[in-house]
Amino acid sequence: MSDDELQRRYHEGDPEALRLLWDRSANSLRSKADQLTSGNKSLAEKVLAELENQLASREKQQAYNPSERWESWALRVLKPATHDVYHHLPEEDLRRPFFEGDPRALDSLVRRYQEAFQQKAFIWAGGKDQNIADESLSRLYKILATPKKQQTYNPALPWKPWAFGVLRREVCNVLRDLDRNKMFSLKEQIEEAPDRSDGPSQVAERKELEAEREKLLAALRDCLQQLPQELRITLELRFWHEWTLKKIGEERGGVGTTAAYNRKARAQTLMRDCLAEKGIEGGLIP
Amino acid sequence: MSLDPVFLDFAEEYQNQPEQALYALQALLLDEISVSGRVAFLHELGAFSETDLPDMAPEREQSDFTHEIRLIREIGTLRAVKEGTLDPQRLAALTCDPEALRLAHRALVFEGEEPETTATPTTPGLAASETSPETTPGTFTNLWVRGRWPELTDCLRPYLAELLREVGMDVALAGPLLAFIEQKTHSAAPQGQRFRQLLPAWLNEFAAARGEQPARQFRPEDWEAILRPAVKRTAPRLVLEEKPAGQPGWAREFRRLALERGAGSLHDLLVIDLPDESVSEDALGSFRRDLAKRMDGERERAFRLFELS
């Protein structure tokens, strides 16, 4: 039977015509399904099953124009069918495809948590400036699409808490970038932002954080010990006993507010220098 | 990590550049390492203050930041300040209070998260319950399922020494054991099992890896008999080791004596007397009862964490 005849009969609802057309186009449909699922065989099978299901519906048969090549039509339906499959997959089934770099898995995960991301980003940004939240989200989506970042995710674990961790770091970065004169140059910074997606795995990242924390604690103690006593006392009074600079100035030798401020600033500088000597400084953890 | 949040003088920054100060505070509250660094910095200052400033009360005055933390979490720091519901002076105080900082960080980052749910499984595959056991909030299993590692680590750390003692292993291995358990929990999902069920196997594996021979064998079925005494000993100690702000000297002395004697109940506390006559019987009685109540509370919390209750 000719393709034209089969196409006409498919349009009229003949299930046998669908079977024959399907067989004739099987190779190109399979190849496209593989491509759309980034080579994931199991997902490709699901997509093809969904496509077959949709093509067998009366609605699709009637929507089909028999003068069009059936294979082109089926390939057109394949894309939304793929979307439907990903949309209905449980989160667990999307974890590994995401880890392996499947853009549709990323898209589906982001879509299902988009609202939660938006709410969190807004509150984490302080609940006032939507631009900061939007900027953080934009960085998040950009970073999640990088293979390096995807490979730091452990597919055995839930995706959402991990992605929230990435978002939190991005909100922090945006807030820090707001520092001083950078208020209006966020866009340029995105282009110049260092790739923070390095890291062999979540476990290693976690271990690295723990190690950094231990290192910081030991260094803080050591540096405070080395600080001249009067400077250390200024920090103790300011941060632990919550004295005002005025009170510190008056009660520690009657030196006045400015001198107390200078002492505190000197103590902070010495602490920073001491910590830097021990390898701890701004940008220690990207 | 930038060091700026660790040394942030919020009160001063707020005076000069209110909005920048609030952003800096928000960045501090969001970042686990910065909060840890800041908390350590404050604790160290407190410890040095005891020797540098012996005439000053070593402890900070206790303050309740529940209201502020709720606003930070639910409304947002900047918005709440703008609306006048959050007082910048209270925020300044919060940045100097290590416990409040830690609570604010946790509340902002972790609370309000919905439990992990999945879309309807229309395709074959593992059901959610097969990979994530149904969990009760406040349990190690729940913290594990939700990937709340810092909390899991903080809550588990104090109990490991007594656990090791109970199975006849060196208590100095508590740190390496914690790292071992962290590695286990970070690298795999629960796969339908509970934290408590896996702990004996991990302990066996840990002992074998270090060539340790535990004096007591631990199998899952007698695990409860091992865990309970360890929890019962640790929980009261945690309460006695607390250093609340503004605590009078006699209370500190009482805690020291109670710790020395391994007190774990109201009965144990009742037999401890203080040589200091400046404290009234009423104050001491009330202090004992309060401690005992808190010990019970801590024990219950620990039983819940380990799913023993």
Side-chain angles (χ1 to χ4, degrees):
Chain A
M1 202 181 295
S2 71
D3 280 358
D4 287 350
E5 177 59 13
L6 282 176
Q7 286 171 189
R8 189 185 57 73
R9 286 171 62 176
Y10 166 75
H11 175 62
E12 286 166 359
D14 178 355
E16 184 59 14
L18 170 61
R19 195 184 63 75
L20 289 168
L21 285 166
W22 182 273
D23 287 347
R24 286 179 192 184
S25 306
N27 284 343
S28 65
L29 289 174
R30 181 165 298 279
S31 160
K32 188 70 183 170
D34 280 345
Q35 187 195 334
L36 288 172
T37 55
S38 302
N40 185 318
K41 297 284 173 207
S42 136
L43 272 176
E45 285 305 323
K46 284 174 186 164
V47 166
L48 288 171
E50 174 66 21
L51 175 68
E52 196 170 3
N53 198 32
Q54 290 194 10
L55 291 173
S57 71
R58 195 66 201 115
E59 185 194 347
K60 278 281 184 285
Q61 288 165 344
Q62 283 174 343
Y64 169 62
N65 177 356
S67 63
E68 184 187 359
R69 202 168 147 245
W70 188 86
E71 188 176 296
S72 308
W73 153 255
L75 285 168
R76 261 210 333 273
V77 179
L78 185 59
K79 214 168 172 184
T82 307
H83 174 81
D84 289 348
V85 167
Y86 277 83
H87 180 69
H88 289 104
L89 280 177
E91 195 235 67
E92 296 98 290
D93 289 359
L94 289 168
R95 291 176 193 169
R96 183 148 287 281
F98 167 78
F99 172 73
E100 288 167 353
D102 181 344
R104 277 171 186 78
L106 166 64
D107 179 65
S108 180
L109 285 164
V110 165
R111 276 174 198 275
R112 66 185 69 188
Y113 298 125
Q114 202 160 23
E115 207 176 315
F117 283 148
Q118 282 166 354
Q119 286 168 358
K120 274 284 186 214
F122 186 63
I123 287 292
W124 283 348
K128 184 172 159 255
D129 193 337
Q130 188 61 47
N131 290 333
I132 298 174
D134 290 347
E135 180 55 41
S136 310
L137 287 167
S138 141
R139 291 186 187 194
L140 169 76
Y141 298 145
K142 193 177 170 214
I143 284 178
L144 288 179
T146 62
K148 267 189 187 173
K149 193 70 197 171
Q150 289 163 355
Q151 282 155 22
T152 65
Y153 167 65
N154 179 348
L157 298 173
W159 187 83
K160 187 178 156 196
W162 174 80
F164 267 25
V166 181
L167 173 62
R168 183 156 53 91
R169 189 170 289 187
E170 284 319 303
V171 177
C172 275
N173 289 334
V174 174
L175 290 172
R176 285 174 191 155
D177 289 345
L178 287 171
D179 188 22
R180 316 297 182 265
N181 304 321
K182 300 178 186 169
M183 285 293 282
F184 304 104
S185 57
L186 279 175
K187 249 195 155 42
E188 286 81 344
Q189 284 172 57
I190 303 167
E191 305 307 322
E192 292 165 11
D195 186 354
R196 296 181 171 98
S197 58
D198 288 332
S201 71
Q202 272 166 279
V203 179
E205 196 175 322
R206 186 78 222 158
K207 291 258 162 267
E208 211 176 291
L209 289 176
E210 290 294 335
E212 294 294 356
R213 178 157 48 189
E214 292 301 318
K215 188 177 168 187
L216 177 62
L217 300 191
L220 272 171
R221 182 169 303 163
D222 205 30
C223 291
L224 278 170
Q225 183 75 55
Q226 287 177 32
L227 211 57
Q229 193 187 30
E230 195 52 41
L231 295 187
R232 187 170 63 228
I233 287 176
T234 306
L235 293 181
E236 288 160 20
L237 291 172
R238 181 66 178 149
F239 290 105
W240 185 251
H241 297 285
E242 294 178 61
W243 282 19
T244 60
L245 288 171
K246 187 170 177 239
K247 188 173 173 186
I248 295 173
E250 283 168 2
E251 304 215 8
R252 298 297 300 182
V255 291
T257 307
T258 309
Y261 173 85
N262 289 338
R263 270 187 197 168
K264 189 196 71 159
R266 174 89 186 122
Q268 286 172 315
T269 304
L270 286 176
M271 283 298 288
R272 281 193 185 92
D273 291 348
C274 174
L275 289 167
E277 271 176 30
K278 294 175 187 297
I280 295 169
E281 49 194 325
L284 177 72
I285 295 170
Chain B
M1 186 200 70
S2 158
L3 285 175
D4 291 344
V6 175
F7 301 125
L8 172 70
D9 187 338
F10 178 81
E12 188 203 328
E13 292 280 333
Y14 189 82
Q15 241 178 351
N16 300 329
Q17 288 183 296
E19 192 153 278
Q20 293 300 327
L22 289 166
Y23 285 136
L25 170 63
Q26 195 70 9
L28 164 67
L29 291 177
L30 283 174
D31 184 38
E32 187 188 335
I33 294 290
S34 296
V35 168
S36 289
R38 173 84 178 191
V39 165
F41 174 60
L42 293 170
H43 276 307
E44 288 302 323
L45 286 178
F48 276 108
S49 172
E50 286 195 39
T51 44
D52 286 341
L53 301 161
D55 296 338
M56 292 189 71
E59 306 293 348
R60 297 170 42 79
E61 267 187 39
Q62 206 160 20
S63 191
D64 180 5
F65 288 96
T66 312
H67 171 69
E68 287 76 15
I69 292 173
R70 191 181 61 76
L71 290 170
I72 288 170
R73 178 168 69 86
E74 291 174 8
I75 308 291
T77 314
L78 278 95
R79 185 175 152 199
V81 169
K82 191 184 172 201
E83 288 174 352
T85 47
L86 188 51
D87 178 3
Q89 280 187 2
R90 291 285 295 157
L91 282 178
L94 187 147
T95 61
C96 294
D97 185 320
E99 193 50 30
L101 262 178
R102 215 194 309 255
L103 287 173
H105 167 70
R106 282 190 187 167
L108 186 61
V109 172
F110 296 115
E111 281 177 22
E113 270 181 43
E114 288 166 23
E116 281 306 309
T117 52
T118 53
T120 320
T122 53
T123 48
L126 286 178
S129 60
E130 285 174 86
T131 50
S132 309
E134 284 210 5
T135 62
T136 315
T139 63
F140 283 127
T141 310
N142 183 266
L143 296 175
W144 182 14
V145 167
R146 296 176 69 179
R148 292 167 70 162
W149 316 123
E151 253 182 286
L152 194 155
T153 301
D154 283 354
C155 294
L156 183 62
R157 183 183 284 116
Y159 287 91
L160 293 181
E162 286 300 330
L163 185 58
L164 286 165
R165 196 191 309 279
E166 193 62 30
V167 297
M169 286 172 71
D170 184 358
V171 295
L173 291 173
L177 176 60
L178 182 64
F180 183 82
I181 294 171
E182 280 179 328
Q183 193 191 356
K184 288 285 177 193
T185 51
H186 291 184
S187 57
Q191 298 296 339
Q193 287 183 285
R194 296 185 180 280
F195 181 86
R196 194 189 67 151
Q197 293 170 317
L198 289 165
L199 206 45
W202 289 341
L203 199 47
N204 278 322
E205 201 182 323
F206 173 76
R210 300 191 69 94
E212 289 275 330
Q213 195 62 44
R216 186 173 170 185
Q217 282 303 310
F218 23 95
R219 298 169 306 170
E221 52 270 33
D222 46 36
W223 188 238
E224 184 153 344
I226 293 170
L227 210 45
R228 259 182 201 280
V231 167
K232 278 186 178 173
R233 280 199 301 274
T234 308
R237 182 172 57 72
L238 293 179
V239 173
L240 292 172
E241 282 175 349
E242 286 171 354
K243 291 179 178 173
Q247 182 178 233
W250 64 261
R252 277 204 297 278
E253 178 60 9
F254 188 90
R255 282 174 185 271
R256 191 188 64 75
L257 288 170
L259 271 170
E260 208 172 81
R261 296 178 196 181
S265 66
L266 180 59
H267 178 264
D268 297 339
L269 297 175
L270 283 170
V271 296
I272 297 172
D273 273 319
L274 285 173
D276 184 355
E277 288 172 4
S278 61
V279 54
S280 71
E281 265 308 308
D282 280 355
L284 189 56
S286 152
F287 184 66
R288 285 189 183 112
R289 283 192 298 279
D290 181 52
L291 276 182
K293 202 171 151 190
R294 307 232 9 264
M295 285 173 173
D296 289 343
E298 184 58 36
R299 246 190 308 265
E300 272 175 37
R301 189 182 80 97
F303 283 151
R304 197 166 47 247
L305 277 166
F306 285 100
E307 299 179 81
L308 287 170
S309 44

